[in-house]
Amino acid sequence: MNSSPLIDQLIEAFRCLPGVGPKSAQRMTLHLLERNRSGGHKLSESLAVALKEVGNCSQCRTLTEEETCRICASRSRNHDICCVVESPADIFAIEQSGSFRGVYFVLMGHLSPIDGIGPEQLGINQLLEKVEKNNIEEVIIACNPNVEGDATAYYIAEQLKSSKAIVSRIAHGVPVGGELEYVDGSTLTHAFAGRKSMDRS
Amino acid sequence: MNSSPLIDQLIEAFRCLPGVGPKSAQRMTLHLLERNRSGGHKLSESLAVALKEVGNCSQCRTLTEEETCRICASRSRNHDICCVVESPADIFAIEQSGSFRGVYFVLMGHLSPIDGIGPEQLGINQLLEKVEKNNIEEVIIACNPNVEGDATAYYIAEQLKSSKAIVSRIAHGVPVGGELEYVDGSTLTHAFAGRKSMDRS
């Protein structure tokens, strides 16, 4: 390349971001250097601070810079219901929907023996201890609806059999607003198997 | 938001990148914090260094951390032909095509009186001086083929009338590999007006 080494280096560094290829990385680099240097400074600093300070919540393992995350520390949440999710992004999505007021437990992944991710890496023991110690009434498993998520969900349900907590899994079915024509077969199978009676009288 | 302030801040900071909305910014933030902290450190540092060191080339105004960029400093380039482009990204594209071995001059924008961008901001005087001083034989204007680029090209051509240099503009026409059916009318008009005789005997 005839370009400057520092610019090449920055283009390369941007490629660590998900969904960013060589063209986007170049566009980001030139945009910041040409037009938005203050934004670039802010990004560089925010990133350095976040990487230094942000760790995992001692209660639910989500990302936070505090010892205990805001949800686990909140008194307005129902600490008797715990929702198990794969990643902090899932918490963001559930919180935005406003459909859950309990606490969470983040696995930070799913069972994947081939990548060396077993129950210890997912903190399953920590989850079992938490359920026991806090007398949690219901554990809602919200792993992703795919093969790895299913396996993880069954494993956790199996481990929780001996506890007093009810173990449930969020429903699978046709997404709201979706069109039946475009829904895949596996989702339709789930949707039929999980059908509910409409008699509410 | 129930999330951590540092994470929120980082998500916000990522939004300064072009084409990055709230969802992508969140995905980038969580990806770096969960899975690629070393990449994040590298990005933060590269960005800080580049913002500190990278300035403009004294000869052609492109982005570089040196006093004179590599192309302007190279002896293997033809310093008698100068290509005028709007941004350093255009240099990347032209260099990748390998179709030009002269030197460049970067306007860092186009004439846009409504945004307060006039000839001084584009360094037109510096270009005229450079053409005069270096006895440049040909100035190839490669501004973008749109209204602002056209205006800028005509302005530069006008200013260079008194110099000895030949002023040319890169050809507009049907892109190679494109299908005539999908080419817009304005491009077709240019393609017809710029038609060339096929007699090469």
Side-chain angles (χ1 to χ4, degrees):
Chain A
M1 281 290 287
N2 269 307
S3 165
S4 106
L6 286 182
I7 295 179
D8 285 349
Q9 213 170 300
L10 183 53
I11 292 174
E12 192 51 43
F14 266 120
R15 295 199 52 193
C16 74
L17 296 174
V20 174
K23 270 276 171 193
S24 307
Q26 181 189 308
R27 191 163 153 239
M28 288 171 171
T29 299
L30 294 177
H31 174 85
L32 291 185
L33 289 172
E34 277 177 59
R35 279 188 282 271
N36 195 353
R37 290 199 170 219
S38 70
H41 279 297
K42 216 169 141 189
L43 173 58
S44 167
E45 280 156 29
S46 300
L47 187 51
V49 172
L51 286 168
K52 184 163 168 268
E53 302 288 342
V54 173
N56 295 97
C57 170
S58 60
Q59 296 288 315
C60 73
R61 302 186 9 130
T62 194
L63 294 168
T64 177
E65 67 265 35
E66 286 148 42
E67 166 71 16
T68 309
C69 77
R70 293 193 174 187
I71 293 175
C72 289
S74 164
R75 289 191 182 183
S76 68
R77 312 281 306 205
N78 182 352
H79 288 257
D80 295 331
I81 304 184
C82 178
C83 177
V84 178
V85 293
E86 288 188 18
S87 94
D90 301 333
I91 298 188
F92 281 49
I94 297 172
E95 286 299 298
Q96 261 169 22
S97 78
S99 48
F100 181 69
R101 294 296 301 164
V103 291
Y104 294 94
F105 187 85
V106 185
L107 300 172
M108 290 284 180
H110 45 239
L111 287 179
S112 177
I114 213 162
D115 301 315
I117 300 175
E120 305 91 66
Q121 281 73 32
L122 302 183
I124 308 276
N125 278 337
Q126 194 183 335
L127 172 64
L128 299 179
E129 265 172 41
K130 182 178 161 136
V131 170
E132 204 60 46
K133 215 176 78 187
N134 300 6
N135 282 317
I136 286 173
E137 288 167 9
E138 183 172 356
V139 176
I140 303 174
I141 302 178
C143 288
N144 286 328
N146 52 30
V147 178
E148 295 90 351
D150 285 350
T152 311
Y154 285 122
Y155 181 83
I156 295 172
E158 197 61 37
Q159 297 295 308
L160 283 168
K161 256 192 179 162
S162 56
S163 79
K164 282 169 292 176
I166 301 163
V167 181
S168 62
R169 189 154 183 216
I170 55 168
H172 293 165
V174 180
V176 179
E179 289 185 44
L180 225 58
E181 191 180 345
Y182 302 110
V183 171
D184 64 296
S186 169
T187 301
L188 278 178
T189 308
H190 272 294
F192 274 93
R195 68 188 179 279
K196 279 183 185 168
S197 163
M198 289 178 73
D199 296 333
R200 293 180 179 240
S201 55
Chain B
M1 282 292 287
N2 270 306
S3 166
S4 107
L6 285 183
I7 294 178
D8 285 349
Q9 214 170 298
L10 183 54
I11 292 173
E12 193 51 43
F14 266 120
R15 295 198 53 192
C16 74
L17 296 174
V20 174
K23 270 277 170 191
S24 308
Q26 180 190 307
R27 190 162 153 240
M28 289 171 171
T29 300
L30 294 177
H31 175 84
L32 291 186
L33 289 171
E34 277 176 59
R35 277 187 285 270
N36 195 352
R37 292 200 169 220
S38 71
H41 279 297
K42 214 168 143 191
L43 174 58
S44 167
E45 280 156 29
S46 301
L47 188 51
V49 173
L51 286 167
K52 185 163 166 270
E53 302 289 342
V54 174
N56 296 99
C57 170
S58 60
Q59 296 289 315
C60 72
R61 300 186 11 129
T62 194
L63 294 168
T64 178
E65 68 265 35
E66 284 148 43
E67 166 71 15
T68 309
C69 77
R70 295 194 171 186
I71 293 175
C72 289
S74 164
R75 289 189 183 186
S76 67
R77 312 281 305 204
N78 182 352
H79 287 258
D80 296 331
I81 304 184
C82 177
C83 177
V84 178
V85 294
E86 289 189 19
S87 92
D90 301 333
I91 298 189
F92 281 49
I94 297 172
E95 286 298 300
Q96 263 171 19
S97 79
S99 47
F100 180 69
R101 294 296 301 164
V103 292
Y104 294 93
F105 187 85
V106 185
L107 301 170
M108 288 284 178
H110 44 239
L111 286 179
S112 177
I114 213 161
D115 301 315
I117 300 174
E120 305 90 65
Q121 282 73 35
L122 302 183
I124 307 277
N125 278 338
Q126 193 182 333
L127 172 64
L128 300 180
E129 267 172 42
K130 181 177 162 135
V131 170
E132 205 60 46
K133 217 175 78 187
N134 300 6
N135 281 319
I136 286 173
E137 289 167 10
E138 184 173 357
V139 176
I140 303 174
I141 302 179
C143 289
N144 286 328
N146 52 30
V147 179
E148 296 90 349
D150 286 350
T152 311
Y154 285 121
Y155 181 83
I156 295 172
E158 197 61 36
Q159 297 295 307
L160 283 168
K161 257 191 180 161
S162 56
S163 80
K164 282 169 289 179
I166 301 164
V167 181
S168 61
R169 190 156 183 214
I170 55 168
H172 294 164
V174 180
V176 178
E179 289 185 43
L180 225 60
E181 189 180 346
Y182 302 111
V183 171
D184 65 297
S186 169
T187 301
L188 279 177
T189 309
H190 272 293
F192 275 92
R195 68 188 178 280
K196 280 183 186 169
S197 164
M198 289 177 74
D199 295 334
R200 292 179 179 239
S201 55

